[in-house]
Amino acid sequence: MNQITKVITTIAATIISLDILLMVINGTMLYVLLTLAGFYVLASLAFKQSAYKATRCWIDTGHLPHKEKTHVKTHN
């Protein structure tokens, strides 16, 4: 079983390496990095803080932090 795992891992690593090499050769790696940077900026604007901090808080607590908490009072 260990030999099969090594073969599958080697095949997967080879495919990923060839894919990255082809992206660099074709110049599409730049587009991938620019797209990721754009998503990060949009996420930061949406969370109104660093997207990294918001994601870490979400992973740690299970929900996103709210800068403004509005309490709705109900009249009984």
Side-chain angles (χ1 to χ4, degrees):
M1 189 66 182
N2 196 11
Q3 185 69 20
I4 295 172
T5 306
K6 286 182 182 180
V7 170
I8 292 173
T9 305
T10 304
I11 292 172
T14 305
I15 291 172
I16 291 170
S17 300
L18 287 174
D19 187 36
I20 291 173
L21 180 65
L22 288 173
M23 284 193 293
V24 169
I25 291 171
N26 290 330
T28 55
M29 182 61 94
L30 178 64
Y31 295 124
V32 171
L33 293 176
L34 289 175
T35 302
L36 291 175
F39 281 137
Y40 184 83
V41 169
L42 288 175
S44 295
L45 291 173
F47 296 139
K48 296 182 181 173
Q49 65 178 2
S50 169
Y52 174 76
K53 288 181 183 176
T55 306
R56 289 299 306 164
C57 181
W58 179 54
I59 290 171
D60 292 339
T61 62
H63 58 78
L64 292 173
H66 297 290
K67 294 217 176 212
E68 302 174 7
K69 290 192 175 184
T70 56
H71 297 285
V72 178
K73 294 181 180 179
T74 56
H75 299 288
N76 292 341

